[in-house]
Amino acid sequence: MDFTFTEEQQAAVEAARAVFSDVAPDGAPSPALTPGAVADDIDRQLWHELARTDLLGLTLSPDHGGAGLDPIALCLVLRESAKVLARVPLLESCAVAMAIERYGDRTLAAELLPRAGRGGLILTVGAHGRSGHDPAELAVSARPYGAGDGAGDGAGEGETDGSAGGSGWVLDGVQSAVPWAQAADWIAVPAHTTGGRPVLALVPRTRDGVTLADQVSTNGERLAEVRLDAVRVEARELIDAAGCWDWLRSLLTTGTCALALGLGERVLAMTAEYTGKREQFGFPVATFQAVAVQAADRYIDLRAMEATLWQAAWRISTDTGGPLPAAGDVAVAKIWASDGVRRVVQTAQHLHGGFGADTDYPLHRYHAWAKQIELSLGPAAAHEEALGDLLAAHPLG
């Protein structure tokens, strides 16, 4: 098997490294010293630079001004972004754009995607539901309405194409912990129809009936509770294609694994640099067996995180079949990412000693981001349960 990345994917990595080389991980106030969010907005300068270098349109087709690359390329760029704790909705905006292009209305895609690729329009997604523990689509209901029936009366599944009377849909519910929602122009909202089928609604942030309440993440970034109260969306603004939400959630989860890998690699590099210089009894502590063994264990964690990440990204990129659905590979990748990034930052804090807790040193920031990534879209235990369900439904051998 050939695990080499293509020339185009490698070029994307080089472009990303050039952009992120000017980003300081401690450019925002410390989350440990800030009672609320560390900043009111995303890193706009970085966002414009990503747009200028065509990294925001990396996975869009040339028809929409993009490079036409796959989720593997996006994960490679996300891996680099996490090394500097980039405060931009790169994963959310690119993932939603890919879902729109793959499943959405052609005219809406033509309106939104070129602007998204140029950085003039920001997309995000509510993927955590009401509490983060239940399926996100269950937190919002979508019912069709007709031109003459007001907001509708909970029409049956026979009208789920949104064309009853020729109008669209009504959304009610809540999505919690929506990343970068205050900065976004459109929010992708998973919902369920009267018959329980998952759909994906694309809602402008300023649409009547949409309200945002501030929330703060573990790493000090602004989140929002997005409440939808009889919010109307046009038929073309709701994607009811089979598999759309499952595919988008798998992409978001895989992208989160890429963030975990990049962050973990940077933290281990910081640890190697520190322990190589810190001396005790006249020798660098990196030469002590207990230190070296712990660092080696974390290196093994990172290699397992990397292998499972690229397996999941490859399955999503190619729609290749296997003994389990692609969701199985995504679950395995997230199990390793959640547990692995936690072990990496914990070992780093231990080997740094008290210096690791110094708020003038960036390690504590990486620890906060790692905890956010670990729990985002389900901790390891949740994906172990999902993997068990898949194995029960698809017996191997």
Side-chain angles (χ1 to χ4, degrees):
M1 298 181 68
D2 184 3
F3 293 98
T4 305
F5 296 113
T6 67
E7 291 184 4
E8 293 82 3
Q9 291 165 345
Q10 292 172 350
V13 173
E14 293 303 318
R17 286 174 178 167
V19 171
F20 294 127
S21 64
D22 295 328
V23 178
D26 54 358
S30 165
L33 303 177
T34 308
V38 298
D40 291 332
D41 198 9
I42 65 172
D43 187 340
R44 291 284 175 175
Q45 182 177 351
L46 176 57
W47 190 251
H48 295 320
E49 189 64 16
L50 290 168
R52 186 189 66 81
T53 53
D54 297 325
L55 287 173
L56 297 182
L58 190 70
T59 55
L60 296 177
S61 72
D63 292 341
H64 296 123
L69 298 187
D70 56 14
I72 294 175
L74 175 60
C75 287
L76 285 166
V77 175
L78 290 169
R79 179 187 190 178
E80 298 303 317
S81 75
K83 294 177 181 179
V84 297
L85 308 181
R87 301 183 51 259
V88 288
L90 182 61
L91 169 58
E92 295 80 10
S93 198
C94 290
V96 173
M98 292 177 70
I100 294 173
E101 182 168 51
R102 183 181 176 104
Y103 294 101
D105 178 83
R106 298 300 92 192
T107 59
L108 185 64
E111 292 175 16
L112 300 183
L113 299 188
R115 294 170 56 199
R118 295 192 298 267
L121 183 143
I122 297 176
L123 305 168
T124 191
V125 56
H128 299 284
R130 189 178 291 271
S131 65
H133 299 291
D134 298 319
E137 66 273 16
L138 299 183
V140 177
S141 64
R143 66 184 189 277
Y145 69 84
D149 64 353
D153 57 359
E157 196 67 12
E159 293 178 320
T160 55
D161 63 354
S163 60
S167 294
W169 298 78
V170 177
L171 305 176
D172 287 285
V174 175
Q175 289 289 342
S176 185
V178 178
W180 320 105
Q182 295 86 348
D185 299 289
W186 288 67
I187 303 171
V189 179
H192 66 279
T193 65
T194 306
R197 186 162 54 85
V199 294
L200 185 69
L202 304 169
V203 185
R205 175 176 52 82
T206 56
R207 182 69 55 85
D208 289 344
V210 176
T211 56
L212 274 61
D214 279 353
Q215 296 177 318
V216 181
S217 68
T218 302
N219 56 351
E221 298 299 332
R222 286 183 82 189
L223 305 174
E225 179 187 79
V226 177
R227 186 171 295 275
L228 302 107
D229 184 12
V231 175
R232 293 196 176 193
V233 295
E234 301 174 15
R236 68 174 189 152
E237 294 172 341
L238 187 136
I239 303 174
D240 61 356
C244 173
W245 170 237
D246 289 339
W247 184 87
L248 176 55
R249 182 178 173 83
S250 290
L251 178 58
L252 290 167
T253 305
T254 304
T256 302
C257 296
L259 294 173
L261 176 62
L263 186 149
E265 288 175 331
R266 179 63 192 128
V267 167
L268 188 60
M270 292 169 62
T271 305
E273 181 180 5
Y274 176 78
T275 57
K277 295 178 179 178
R278 175 76 167 87
E279 291 190 358
Q280 283 187 341
F281 312 112
F283 297 94
V285 297
T287 62
F288 299 166
Q289 185 178 30
V291 173
V293 167
Q294 290 182 71
D297 285 343
R298 301 295 77 84
Y299 176 83
I300 294 171
D301 277 334
L302 290 173
R303 297 291 67 80
M305 291 165 62
E306 183 176 20
T308 55
L309 163 64
W310 299 132
Q311 172 72 8
W314 173 71
R315 288 291 303 276
I316 293 174
S317 298
T318 61
D319 292 325
T320 301
L324 290 178
D329 292 288
V330 173
V332 171
K334 189 58 166 70
I335 291 166
W336 273 103
S338 294
D339 282 343
V341 76
R342 171 176 49 79
R343 288 193 290 258
V344 168
V345 294
Q346 287 178 343
T347 297
Q349 289 281 12
H350 174 63
L351 296 183
H352 274 82
F355 192 56
D358 187 343
T359 55
D360 290 330
Y361 186 66
L363 182 60
H364 75 287
R365 298 172 181 268
Y366 285 91
H367 201 152
W369 278 72
K371 179 56 66 174
Q372 178 70 22
I373 290 171
E374 176 194 349
L375 300 178
S376 180
L377 297 174
H383 287 275
E384 288 168 354
E385 182 177 352
L387 181 61
D389 291 341
L390 286 169
L391 288 169
H394 302 83
L396 303 180

